[in-house]
Amino acid sequence: MIDLADISKSYLMGQHSVHALSDVSLNIGQGEFVAIQGSSGSGKSTLLNILGILDTPDSGAYTLDGHVIENLSTSDAARYRNRFIGFVFQSFNLIHHKSALENVALPLYYQKVARKKRSRIAMEYLDRVGLADRADHKPAELSGGQSQRVAIARALITEPALLLADEPTGALDTQTSEQIMQIFRDVNDQGMTVVLVTHEPDIAAQARRSIVLRDGDIVSDLLNGSSLL
Amino acid sequence: MIDPLIEVADSLRTHKVRTALAVLTVAWGIFMLVLLLGAGRGIQNGVELQFKDDAVNSIRIYQGKTTIAYNGLPRGRSISYNNEDYRQVRAKVGHVDKLTARYYVGDNLVSYGGQQAAFDIRGVHPDHLYLEKTVITAGRYINELDLLERRKVCVIGVQVVARLFEEGEEDGPVGKLLEVGGTVCQVVGVFTDVGSRREEEAVYLPVTTAQLLFGGSDRLHQLMYTVGEASYQESKDSEQQVRTLLANIHNFSPEDERAARIYNNLDEYKKITDLFYWVRVIVAVVGVGTVLTGILAVSNIMVISVSERRREIGIRKAIGATPGSITRLIVLESVILTTVAGYIGLLASLGLLELLKATVPENEYMYQPDVNTFVVVAVTVLVIVSGTLAGYLPARRAAVIDPVEALQPT
């Protein structure tokens, strides 16, 4: 499903080159639920950006669902993101002047799905996250948990191969976090591959597999409590 | 097609104040441009009206001296006209409407009762009335019968009346007998002239009478005619025919512009229309400048809009918006903004011009201000093209926004 081979990425910070990732190799199978842990600066965000085709590695190979992700034009990268990847962010990243329904439908707009059809499908996904009655509300009128559920509906509407979540519970209280994690578990149970980045061990513990990054290296990779390394 | 429009409408609605300001600047620019063009046309119409009313489309032919040796004849030969020239012009030149000659007698003593004074005496044809814009206030003008019978009659200006006649003179001057240059003539009419006061100090005699009384034989000093409704080109043709005709009769080179000095009033008219053409060009340049200012304002607003919407654009790109779709969104927004604004300005200015047309009475300063279809089409093209240009740079900036950067938590 996901195959990363010897991925390296460094950034220039003033005069110094900082290694965000060094020779990371990683294999994630179809239907896995993986948490990537690490402190700030461990390279986990870089890894997520590369997985999400928002960033390109300096070296190494990335294969997603059988497609080699290499030398894509920005337009092609956008199309791949649209077709294969659903994003969930810490700060929800809903478009504030659009209603919940319009936010959820937006990825289908970029697939040129007709407006009526988009709205119908978006309504189904809003219903799945239990927010059908909030369809016409603007993000400002939604609670944090509700906003994140709208964002998840938006990420799922294209039926992506991979759901990427960047600190999805970082802005939420414990109880709401629990609800959000439950949704991730549910979609994973239905076969969706989920990768989430977090620095909270108790959130990571709810995934089936937990990877820890430190200074651009994978330092542990555990499945159901047993080590893979 | 509908979807992007809804996206744009959505975005414009979100930023009402900004949208309103952008619309205002462009609308104002277009409003001023169209209004200026319309007013320019109105002033031109006014001047044209003045020309039509005042100086008839006349061509005047004066005597001259040859400056080119021709057919063995030397340079410096004086050319003078006679009755035959008058008849030939009438018979052979195109577009001749009203035609008159002038025989200048010059200043001569005119007396009535105890009063006498010198006045300008001219022999003329009946059509002279139209060429000089003479207005008869009493009696009549010179007529064909006067010429045929060489009647000793005269038409005198109101200034002549003022000098020779007592105020409250019984029955007025018409029918009274004057002594003109030693010959008794009967006054048949009194005139005023819209031209100068000097023109009203003239005494007109039938041209044949003047030639007879003042030893002119069949000589004429000047020919004048109008070309009626002829176009500028037709009047130039007519002018050329006169020159060729006179050159033939008097044996001078048709190229010799000094032998017969011909003045076409339409040349003056043409100069003024040409001037107004340039006035319109300048107005257009100034107006387009105003529009460009509006366009720059829109461009500026789009730049601000893009930077305010960095995050939104980042989100859109993350979920699959291609750079092209972002470019199109911003350009479309800019085009719609300028087009709507442009048409608001256009309609407002056309409305004002219509109002002026309906309310301002016919006058020589401003008459029927208007713009033609070309201006409307040009404005449409202008706003669409400039909207695209105004949107393009900001749109490119939006298209290259890096979603990773744009989505950094703030």
Side-chain angles (χ1 to χ4, degrees), chain B residues 100-134:
Chain B
T100 182
R102 266 187 186 177
Y103 177 76
Y104 287 111
V105 176
D107 284 358
N108 249 292
L109 273 184
V110 178
S111 54
Y112 174 75
Q115 302 292 323
Q116 64 171 27
F119 293 106
D120 189 16
I121 316 292
R122 300 170 185 172
V124 299
H125 289 86
D127 279 354
H128 192 270
L129 176 76
Y130 305 101
L131 277 130
E132 260 305 320
K133 187 73 189 161
T134 302

mmCIF file of all heavy atoms in Angstrom, chain B residues 100-134:
data_model
loop_
_atom_site.group_PDB
_atom_site.id
_atom_site.type_symbol
_atom_site.label_atom_id
_atom_site.label_comp_id
_atom_site.label_asym_id
_atom_site.label_seq_id
_atom_site.Cartn_x
_atom_site.Cartn_y
_atom_site.Cartn_z
ATOM 1 N N THR B 100 -23.375 83.945 -56.161
ATOM 2 C CA THR B 100 -23.400 85.399 -56.357
ATOM 3 C C THR B 100 -21.999 85.891 -56.716
ATOM 4 O O THR B 100 -21.010 85.222 -56.415
ATOM 5 C CB THR B 100 -23.879 86.132 -55.080
ATOM 6 O OG1 THR B 100 -23.929 87.546 -55.338
ATOM 7 C CG2 THR B 100 -22.939 85.905 -53.917
ATOM 8 N N ALA B 101 -21.978 87.036 -57.407
ATOM 9 C CA ALA B 101 -20.700 87.709 -57.614
ATOM 10 C C ALA B 101 -20.739 88.978 -56.782
ATOM 11 O O ALA B 101 -21.781 89.333 -56.213
ATOM 12 C CB ALA B 101 -20.513 88.044 -59.078
ATOM 13 N N ARG B 102 -19.585 89.633 -56.682
ATOM 14 C CA ARG B 102 -19.547 90.946 -56.047
ATOM 15 C C ARG B 102 -18.805 91.905 -56.977
ATOM 16 O O ARG B 102 -17.760 91.553 -57.523
ATOM 17 C CB ARG B 102 -18.811 90.884 -54.712
ATOM 18 C CG ARG B 102 -19.715 90.678 -53.527
ATOM 19 C CD ARG B 102 -18.910 90.793 -52.277
ATOM 20 N NE ARG B 102 -19.725 90.453 -51.116
ATOM 21 C CZ ARG B 102 -19.251 90.414 -49.884
ATOM 22 N NH1 ARG B 102 -17.981 90.679 -49.655
ATOM 23 N NH2 ARG B 102 -20.040 90.119 -48.880
ATOM 24 N N TYR B 103 -19.368 93.070 -57.129
ATOM 25 C CA TYR B 103 -18.653 94.130 -57.820
ATOM 26 C C TYR B 103 -18.457 95.214 -56.780
ATOM 27 O O TYR B 103 -19.412 95.797 -56.278
ATOM 28 C CB TYR B 103 -19.454 94.646 -59.032
ATOM 29 C CG TYR B 103 -18.768 95.795 -59.728
ATOM 30 C CD1 TYR B 103 -17.668 95.569 -60.565
ATOM 31 C CD2 TYR B 103 -19.191 97.108 -59.539
ATOM 32 C CE1 TYR B 103 -17.020 96.622 -61.192
ATOM 33 C CE2 TYR B 103 -18.548 98.171 -60.163
ATOM 34 C CZ TYR B 103 -17.453 97.916 -60.984
ATOM 35 O OH TYR B 103 -16.804 98.966 -61.594
ATOM 36 N N TYR B 104 -17.185 95.436 -56.405
ATOM 37 C CA TYR B 104 -16.898 96.409 -55.354
ATOM 38 C C TYR B 104 -16.794 97.810 -55.960
ATOM 39 O O TYR B 104 -15.873 98.099 -56.713
ATOM 40 C CB TYR B 104 -15.579 96.096 -54.652
ATOM 41 C CG TYR B 104 -15.642 94.897 -53.746
ATOM 42 C CD1 TYR B 104 -14.968 93.732 -54.077
ATOM 43 C CD2 TYR B 104 -16.364 94.958 -52.547
ATOM 44 C CE1 TYR B 104 -15.011 92.635 -53.246
ATOM 45 C CE2 TYR B 104 -16.414 93.857 -51.719
ATOM 46 C CZ TYR B 104 -15.742 92.696 -52.064
ATOM 47 O OH TYR B 104 -15.793 91.626 -51.240
ATOM 48 N N VAL B 105 -17.739 98.647 -55.599
ATOM 49 C CA VAL B 105 -17.656 100.042 -56.030
ATOM 50 C C VAL B 105 -16.722 100.786 -55.081
ATOM 51 O O VAL B 105 -15.988 101.686 -55.462
ATOM 52 C CB VAL B 105 -19.058 100.690 -56.039
ATOM 53 C CG1 VAL B 105 -18.966 102.168 -56.397
ATOM 54 C CG2 VAL B 105 -19.955 99.947 -57.016
ATOM 55 N N GLY B 106 -16.764 100.358 -53.835
ATOM 56 C CA GLY B 106 -15.933 101.005 -52.817
ATOM 57 C C GLY B 106 -16.695 102.107 -52.115
ATOM 58 O O GLY B 106 -17.902 102.265 -52.321
ATOM 59 N N ASP B 107 -16.001 102.828 -51.227
ATOM 60 C CA ASP B 107 -16.676 103.878 -50.458
ATOM 61 C C ASP B 107 -17.079 105.036 -51.369
ATOM 62 O O ASP B 107 -16.298 105.531 -52.169
ATOM 63 C CB ASP B 107 -15.749 104.396 -49.347
ATOM 64 C CG ASP B 107 -15.696 103.405 -48.201
ATOM 65 O OD1 ASP B 107 -16.415 102.372 -48.284
ATOM 66 O OD2 ASP B 107 -14.950 103.641 -47.234
ATOM 67 N N ASN B 108 -18.328 105.433 -51.225
ATOM 68 C CA ASN B 108 -18.863 106.526 -52.021
ATOM 69 C C ASN B 108 -19.839 107.312 -51.176
ATOM 70 O O ASN B 108 -20.421 106.774 -50.240
ATOM 71 C CB ASN B 108 -19.594 105.966 -53.242
ATOM 72 C CG ASN B 108 -18.839 106.280 -54.526
ATOM 73 O OD1 ASN B 108 -18.761 107.443 -54.921
ATOM 74 N ND2 ASN B 108 -18.273 105.246 -55.129
ATOM 75 N N LEU B 109 -20.015 108.547 -51.555
ATOM 76 C CA LEU B 109 -20.946 109.391 -50.808
ATOM 77 C C LEU B 109 -22.380 108.966 -51.076
ATOM 78 O O LEU B 109 -22.773 108.736 -52.216
ATOM 79 C CB LEU B 109 -20.774 110.854 -51.195
ATOM 80 C CG LEU B 109 -19.708 111.643 -50.432
ATOM 81 C CD1 LEU B 109 -19.738 113.106 -50.882
ATOM 82 C CD2 LEU B 109 -19.961 111.556 -48.919
ATOM 83 N N VAL B 110 -23.131 108.882 -49.992
ATOM 84 C CA VAL B 110 -24.553 108.590 -50.091
ATOM 85 C C VAL B 110 -25.262 109.699 -49.337
ATOM 86 O O VAL B 110 -24.881 110.031 -48.210
ATOM 87 C CB VAL B 110 -24.884 107.222 -49.458
ATOM 88 C CG1 VAL B 110 -26.382 106.952 -49.537
ATOM 89 C CG2 VAL B 110 -24.095 106.106 -50.149
ATOM 90 N N SER B 111 -26.273 110.298 -49.971
ATOM 91 C CA SER B 111 -26.942 111.387 -49.259
ATOM 92 C C SER B 111 -28.458 111.268 -49.364
ATOM 93 O O SER B 111 -29.013 110.715 -50.320
ATOM 94 C CB SER B 111 -26.468 112.736 -49.804
ATOM 95 O OG SER B 111 -26.632 112.790 -51.210
ATOM 96 N N TYR B 112 -29.082 111.770 -48.291
ATOM 97 C CA TYR B 112 -30.539 111.810 -48.248
ATOM 98 C C TYR B 112 -30.921 113.075 -47.487
ATOM 99 O O TYR B 112 -30.438 113.300 -46.375
ATOM 100 C CB TYR B 112 -31.101 110.587 -47.538
ATOM 101 C CG TYR B 112 -32.601 110.654 -47.341
ATOM 102 C CD1 TYR B 112 -33.474 110.443 -48.422
ATOM 103 C CD2 TYR B 112 -33.138 110.966 -46.096
ATOM 104 C CE1 TYR B 112 -34.844 110.512 -48.248
ATOM 105 C CE2 TYR B 112 -34.509 111.038 -45.912
ATOM 106 C CZ TYR B 112 -35.359 110.812 -47.001
ATOM 107 O OH TYR B 112 -36.713 110.896 -46.835
ATOM 108 N N GLY B 113 -31.803 113.851 -48.122
ATOM 109 C CA GLY B 113 -32.184 115.110 -47.490
ATOM 110 C C GLY B 113 -30.947 115.940 -47.248
ATOM 111 O O GLY B 113 -30.107 116.104 -48.128
ATOM 112 N N GLY B 114 -30.738 116.336 -45.997
ATOM 113 C CA GLY B 114 -29.581 117.164 -45.685
ATOM 114 C C GLY B 114 -28.367 116.337 -45.279
ATOM 115 O O GLY B 114 -27.264 116.850 -45.163
ATOM 116 N N GLN B 115 -28.562 115.031 -45.042
ATOM 117 C CA GLN B 115 -27.486 114.200 -44.498
ATOM 118 C C GLN B 115 -26.690 113.547 -45.603
ATOM 119 O O GLN B 115 -27.235 113.127 -46.617
ATOM 120 C CB GLN B 115 -28.092 113.095 -43.606
ATOM 121 C CG GLN B 115 -28.932 113.599 -42.454
ATOM 122 C CD GLN B 115 -28.066 114.315 -41.416
ATOM 123 O OE1 GLN B 115 -26.951 113.917 -41.146
ATOM 124 N NE2 GLN B 115 -28.613 115.388 -40.850
ATOM 125 N N GLN B 116 -25.384 113.427 -45.387
ATOM 126 C CA GLN B 116 -24.605 112.604 -46.309
ATOM 127 C C GLN B 116 -23.418 111.976 -45.589
ATOM 128 O O GLN B 116 -22.916 112.508 -44.608
ATOM 129 C CB GLN B 116 -24.144 113.414 -47.519
ATOM 130 C CG GLN B 116 -23.180 114.548 -47.198
ATOM 131 C CD GLN B 116 -22.613 115.158 -48.468
ATOM 132 O OE1 GLN B 116 -23.246 115.111 -49.515
ATOM 133 N NE2 GLN B 116 -21.427 115.712 -48.373
ATOM 134 N N ALA B 117 -23.019 110.806 -46.082
ATOM 135 C CA ALA B 117 -21.874 110.099 -45.508
ATOM 136 C C ALA B 117 -21.377 109.100 -46.528
ATOM 137 O O ALA B 117 -22.096 108.764 -47.475
ATOM 138 C CB ALA B 117 -22.275 109.362 -44.228
ATOM 139 N N ALA B 118 -20.133 108.642 -46.340
ATOM 140 C CA ALA B 118 -19.569 107.643 -47.269
ATOM 141 C C ALA B 118 -19.880 106.237 -46.763
ATOM 142 O O ALA B 118 -19.698 105.943 -45.584
ATOM 143 C CB ALA B 118 -18.066 107.841 -47.380
ATOM 144 N N PHE B 119 -20.349 105.412 -47.683
ATOM 145 C CA PHE B 119 -20.621 104.006 -47.340
ATOM 146 C C PHE B 119 -20.035 103.088 -48.403
ATOM 147 O O PHE B 119 -19.769 103.506 -49.532
ATOM 148 C CB PHE B 119 -22.132 103.772 -47.220
ATOM 149 C CG PHE B 119 -22.749 104.500 -46.055
ATOM 150 C CD1 PHE B 119 -23.531 105.633 -46.267
ATOM 151 C CD2 PHE B 119 -22.533 104.068 -44.753
ATOM 152 C CE1 PHE B 119 -24.090 106.309 -45.198
ATOM 153 C CE2 PHE B 119 -23.095 104.749 -43.684
ATOM 154 C CZ PHE B 119 -23.867 105.873 -43.901
ATOM 155 N N ASP B 120 -19.872 101.841 -47.995
ATOM 156 C CA ASP B 120 -19.323 100.818 -48.890
ATOM 157 C C ASP B 120 -20.424 100.398 -49.874
ATOM 158 O O ASP B 120 -21.460 99.873 -49.456
ATOM 159 C CB ASP B 120 -18.852 99.615 -48.050
ATOM 160 C CG ASP B 120 -18.079 98.622 -48.877
ATOM 161 O OD1 ASP B 120 -17.636 98.981 -49.992
ATOM 162 O OD2 ASP B 120 -17.920 97.474 -48.412
ATOM 163 N N ILE B 121 -20.187 100.593 -51.174
ATOM 164 C CA ILE B 121 -21.194 100.266 -52.183
ATOM 165 C C ILE B 121 -20.789 98.958 -52.869
ATOM 166 O O ILE B 121 -19.647 98.830 -53.333
ATOM 167 C CB ILE B 121 -21.295 101.366 -53.270
ATOM 168 C CG1 ILE B 121 -21.290 102.770 -52.655
ATOM 169 C CG2 ILE B 121 -22.512 101.134 -54.163
ATOM 170 C CD1 ILE B 121 -22.499 103.115 -51.847
ATOM 171 N N ARG B 122 -21.715 97.999 -52.929
ATOM 172 C CA ARG B 122 -21.398 96.711 -53.568
ATOM 173 C C ARG B 122 -22.499 96.334 -54.542
ATOM 174 O O ARG B 122 -23.682 96.456 -54.213
ATOM 175 C CB ARG B 122 -21.307 95.595 -52.523
ATOM 176 C CG ARG B 122 -20.244 95.816 -51.468
ATOM 177 C CD ARG B 122 -20.427 94.791 -50.380
ATOM 178 N NE ARG B 122 -19.498 95.020 -49.282
ATOM 179 C CZ ARG B 122 -19.558 94.344 -48.143
ATOM 180 N NH1 ARG B 122 -20.497 93.420 -47.952
ATOM 181 N NH2 ARG B 122 -18.690 94.585 -47.200
ATOM 182 N N GLY B 123 -22.067 95.807 -55.705
ATOM 183 C CA GLY B 123 -23.027 95.239 -56.634
ATOM 184 C C GLY B 123 -23.094 93.737 -56.414
ATOM 185 O O GLY B 123 -22.049 93.089 -56.352
ATOM 186 N N VAL B 124 -24.304 93.222 -56.260
ATOM 187 C CA VAL B 124 -24.446 91.792 -55.938
ATOM 188 C C VAL B 124 -25.575 91.141 -56.717
ATOM 189 O O VAL B 124 -26.414 91.820 -57.300
ATOM 190 C CB VAL B 124 -24.705 91.597 -54.428
ATOM 191 C CG1 VAL B 124 -23.548 92.118 -53.596
ATOM 192 C CG2 VAL B 124 -26.016 92.267 -54.023
ATOM 193 N N HIS B 125 -25.587 89.788 -56.677
ATOM 194 C CA HIS B 125 -26.704 88.996 -57.203
ATOM 195 C C HIS B 125 -27.693 88.715 -56.083
ATOM 196 O O HIS B 125 -27.341 88.833 -54.909
ATOM 197 C CB HIS B 125 -26.196 87.679 -57.790
ATOM 198 C CG HIS B 125 -25.437 87.850 -59.066
ATOM 199 N ND1 HIS B 125 -24.096 88.116 -59.107
ATOM 200 C CD2 HIS B 125 -25.847 87.796 -60.370
ATOM 201 C CE1 HIS B 125 -23.688 88.218 -60.365
ATOM 202 N NE2 HIS B 125 -24.739 88.030 -61.159
ATOM 203 N N PRO B 126 -28.919 88.290 -56.430
ATOM 204 C CA PRO B 126 -29.924 88.027 -55.386
ATOM 205 C C PRO B 126 -29.469 86.980 -54.340
ATOM 206 O O PRO B 126 -29.785 87.107 -53.162
ATOM 207 C CB PRO B 126 -31.130 87.516 -56.177
ATOM 208 C CG PRO B 126 -30.972 88.130 -57.531
ATOM 209 C CD PRO B 126 -29.497 88.189 -57.781
ATOM 210 N N ASP B 127 -28.691 85.954 -54.796
ATOM 211 C CA ASP B 127 -28.269 84.897 -53.859
ATOM 212 C C ASP B 127 -27.304 85.405 -52.778
ATOM 213 O O ASP B 127 -27.015 84.692 -51.813
ATOM 214 C CB ASP B 127 -27.578 83.750 -54.620
ATOM 215 C CG ASP B 127 -28.597 82.817 -55.249
ATOM 216 O OD1 ASP B 127 -29.813 83.003 -54.991
ATOM 217 O OD2 ASP B 127 -28.188 81.911 -56.002
ATOM 218 N N HIS B 128 -26.820 86.608 -52.972
ATOM 219 C CA HIS B 128 -25.913 87.189 -51.979
ATOM 220 C C HIS B 128 -26.541 87.198 -50.587
ATOM 221 O O HIS B 128 -25.862 87.079 -49.570
ATOM 222 C CB HIS B 128 -25.547 88.630 -52.405
ATOM 223 C CG HIS B 128 -24.421 89.216 -51.614
ATOM 224 N ND1 HIS B 128 -24.617 89.923 -50.460
ATOM 225 C CD2 HIS B 128 -23.077 89.184 -51.819
ATOM 226 C CE1 HIS B 128 -23.445 90.314 -49.983
ATOM 227 N NE2 HIS B 128 -22.491 89.861 -50.791
ATOM 228 N N LEU B 129 -27.871 87.325 -50.592
ATOM 229 C CA LEU B 129 -28.634 87.308 -49.346
ATOM 230 C C LEU B 129 -28.254 86.124 -48.468
ATOM 231 O O LEU B 129 -28.052 86.251 -47.262
ATOM 232 C CB LEU B 129 -30.133 87.247 -49.698
ATOM 233 C CG LEU B 129 -31.127 87.137 -48.555
ATOM 234 C CD1 LEU B 129 -31.279 88.487 -47.858
ATOM 235 C CD2 LEU B 129 -32.487 86.683 -49.065
ATOM 236 N N TYR B 130 -28.149 84.899 -49.102
ATOM 237 C CA TYR B 130 -27.880 83.680 -48.345
ATOM 238 C C TYR B 130 -26.423 83.589 -47.923
ATOM 239 O O TYR B 130 -26.110 83.047 -46.876
ATOM 240 C CB TYR B 130 -28.255 82.460 -49.179
ATOM 241 C CG TYR B 130 -29.690 82.516 -49.658
ATOM 242 C CD1 TYR B 130 -30.011 82.900 -50.954
ATOM 243 C CD2 TYR B 130 -30.733 82.211 -48.776
ATOM 244 C CE1 TYR B 130 -31.319 82.969 -51.382
ATOM 245 C CE2 TYR B 130 -32.049 82.284 -49.200
ATOM 246 C CZ TYR B 130 -32.348 82.660 -50.495
ATOM 247 O OH TYR B 130 -33.636 82.746 -50.903
ATOM 248 N N LEU B 131 -25.541 84.091 -48.785
ATOM 249 C CA LEU B 131 -24.122 83.924 -48.495
ATOM 250 C C LEU B 131 -23.662 84.814 -47.363
ATOM 251 O O LEU B 131 -22.758 84.455 -46.616
ATOM 252 C CB LEU B 131 -23.295 84.175 -49.751
ATOM 253 C CG LEU B 131 -23.274 82.886 -50.573
ATOM 254 C CD1 LEU B 131 -23.628 83.127 -52.002
ATOM 255 C CD2 LEU B 131 -21.955 82.165 -50.416
ATOM 256 N N GLU B 132 -24.298 85.965 -47.232
ATOM 257 C CA GLU B 132 -23.857 86.885 -46.182
ATOM 258 C C GLU B 132 -24.704 86.771 -44.919
ATOM 259 O O GLU B 132 -24.484 87.491 -43.956
ATOM 260 C CB GLU B 132 -23.890 88.329 -46.687
ATOM 261 C CG GLU B 132 -22.532 88.873 -47.109
ATOM 262 C CD GLU B 132 -21.460 88.789 -46.034
ATOM 263 O OE1 GLU B 132 -21.772 89.037 -44.856
ATOM 264 O OE2 GLU B 132 -20.312 88.466 -46.381
ATOM 265 N N LYS B 133 -25.686 85.871 -44.992
ATOM 266 C CA LYS B 133 -26.575 85.734 -43.839
ATOM 267 C C LYS B 133 -27.233 87.088 -43.526
ATOM 268 O O LYS B 133 -27.250 87.576 -42.402
ATOM 269 C CB LYS B 133 -25.796 85.193 -42.634
ATOM 270 C CG LYS B 133 -26.612 84.836 -41.411
ATOM 271 C CD LYS B 133 -27.414 83.581 -41.600
ATOM 272 C CE LYS B 133 -28.373 83.384 -40.426
ATOM 273 N NZ LYS B 133 -29.449 82.494 -40.730
ATOM 274 N N THR B 134 -27.698 87.727 -44.597
ATOM 275 C CA THR B 134 -28.354 89.032 -44.479
ATOM 276 C C THR B 134 -29.805 88.823 -44.047
ATOM 277 O O THR B 134 -30.456 87.904 -44.529
ATOM 278 C CB THR B 134 -28.317 89.752 -45.838
ATOM 279 O OG1 THR B 134 -26.953 89.868 -46.230
ATOM 280 C CG2 THR B 134 -28.960 91.117 -45.770
#
